[in-house]
Amino acid sequence: MKILVVDDEKEIADLLELYLKNEGYEVYKYYNGSEALLCSEKEHIDLAILDIMLPDIDGLTICQKIREKHDFPIIMLTAKETEIDKITGLTMGADDYVTKPFRPLELMARVKAQLRRYTSFSNQKKDHMVTIGALTIEKENHQCYLNNELISLTPTEFDILWLLCENEGKVITVDQIFQELWGEKYYTANSSSIMVHIRHIREKMNDSADNPKYIKTVWGVGYKIG
């Protein structure tokens, strides 16, 4: 699992990195908010540990921006310990709050507890929801969101997109799409029909051959039609 750590006190950030790596986590460590926020947008993060007092963007703002797109656990780490500071952090979307000085082993226990909760929740909903980058597709209500904006899809378009997202990273052929959706053997006449649906989906997502922005984040690495 990937943990994002940001603290402008180098000793603390380095200490957290050491303990987290010893637990087997992959760590993205930063000493300022700007780089940490950029990382949260580019990488698939499983949990973030954010210091509130940072030299550029404060941890509360980072937490708020992360919550606009992601639901992974966030632990706030700060020297502040007043009740109002804790309430503010939790209101903005934080899941836990640890004050300095802290015991590293206690923080590791909190990290594991948050990840267990999040993993359990994710497993409960994974059969009904898939999130890839800025795209979220919900099977139960047949809704699809890109950058938090609802995309209107026909039932067939939705089923095709769901199949592709559910198999992110795998090569999916026209034959497979046809058999999965209609339960019949693929034949040549259906190739153009499938491709029309694909084209309509990409148009609705503002994606085209000239604009491959969502090729890897939406269709999945290795995806191709053929």
Side-chain angles (χ1 to χ4, degrees):
M1 287 187 168
K2 299 180 180 180
I3 312 294
L4 171 63
V5 173
V6 54
D7 197 309
D8 62 336
E9 296 184 59
K10 186 177 185 300
E11 296 80 5
I12 292 179
D14 293 349
L15 179 66
L16 289 174
E17 180 185 35
L18 177 63
Y19 272 83
L20 288 166
K21 285 188 173 181
N22 284 342
E23 295 290 340
Y25 299 117
E26 184 176 349
V27 180
Y28 293 84
K29 177 184 66 177
Y30 299 95
Y31 305 122
N32 64 74
S34 300
E35 293 181 343
L37 186 57
L38 182 62
C39 174
S40 73
E41 296 171 351
K42 295 176 61 177
E43 301 293 338
H44 177 79
I45 300 298
D46 296 293
L47 181 144
I49 301 175
L50 309 177
D51 184 24
I52 288 186
M53 303 301 292
L54 296 169
D56 49 357
I57 305 175
D58 65 87
L60 292 175
T61 299
I62 297 174
C63 176
Q64 193 172 33
K65 288 185 176 297
I66 287 175
R67 279 291 174 258
E68 292 175 359
K69 296 182 179 179
H70 308 287
D71 62 353
F72 57 75
I74 297 176
I75 298 176
M76 305 304 298
L77 185 64
T78 179
K80 292 185 176 182
E81 55 184 11
T82 63
E83 194 68 23
I84 189 64
D85 291 323
K86 295 181 180 180
I87 292 174
T88 300
L90 296 173
T91 300
M92 288 190 172
D95 297 277
D96 202 353
Y97 199 106
V98 178
T99 57
K100 301 175 184 177
F102 60 89
R103 291 179 294 178
L105 290 179
E106 179 185 348
L107 181 55
M108 293 304 104
R110 291 180 181 237
V111 167
K112 292 176 182 178
Q114 289 296 331
L115 287 173
R116 281 197 302 270
R117 177 195 62 79
Y118 180 63
T119 301
S120 175
F121 175 72
S122 297
N123 287 339
Q124 290 175 13
K125 69 177 184 178
K126 69 179 181 179
D127 292 336
H128 304 284
M129 178 186 298
V130 174
T131 298
I132 305 174
L135 174 74
T136 297
I137 181 168
E138 302 175 359
K139 188 174 185 179
E140 193 168 11
N141 55 19
H142 269 223
Q143 290 185 341
C144 177
Y145 297 87
L146 183 63
N147 293 316
N148 295 320
E149 293 186 5
L150 182 64
I151 298 176
S152 178
L153 299 174
T154 68
T156 299
E157 289 169 357
F158 180 91
D159 289 341
I160 291 174
L161 184 57
W162 175 264
L163 177 64
L164 296 175
C165 291
E166 200 176 29
N167 290 275
E168 179 196 6
K170 299 179 182 178
V171 174
I172 303 296
T173 66
V174 171
D175 192 356
Q176 289 173 291
I177 292 175
F178 190 77
Q179 290 190 53
E180 286 289 333
L181 268 58
W182 286 278
E184 298 178 12
K185 186 75 175 172
Y186 164 83
Y187 58 98
T188 306
N190 293 302
S191 177
S192 60
S193 175
I194 295 292
M195 294 309 297
V196 168
H197 288 305
I198 293 290
R199 178 169 57 83
H200 287 166
I201 295 171
R202 298 185 66 168
E203 287 174 352
K204 292 178 179 181
M205 299 174 69
N206 296 317
D207 184 28
S208 67
D210 298 325
N211 176 29
K213 181 178 180 180
Y214 297 114
I215 292 297
K216 290 186 178 180
T217 57
V218 173
W219 302 121
V221 178
Y223 160 80
K224 72 176 181 181
I225 270 289

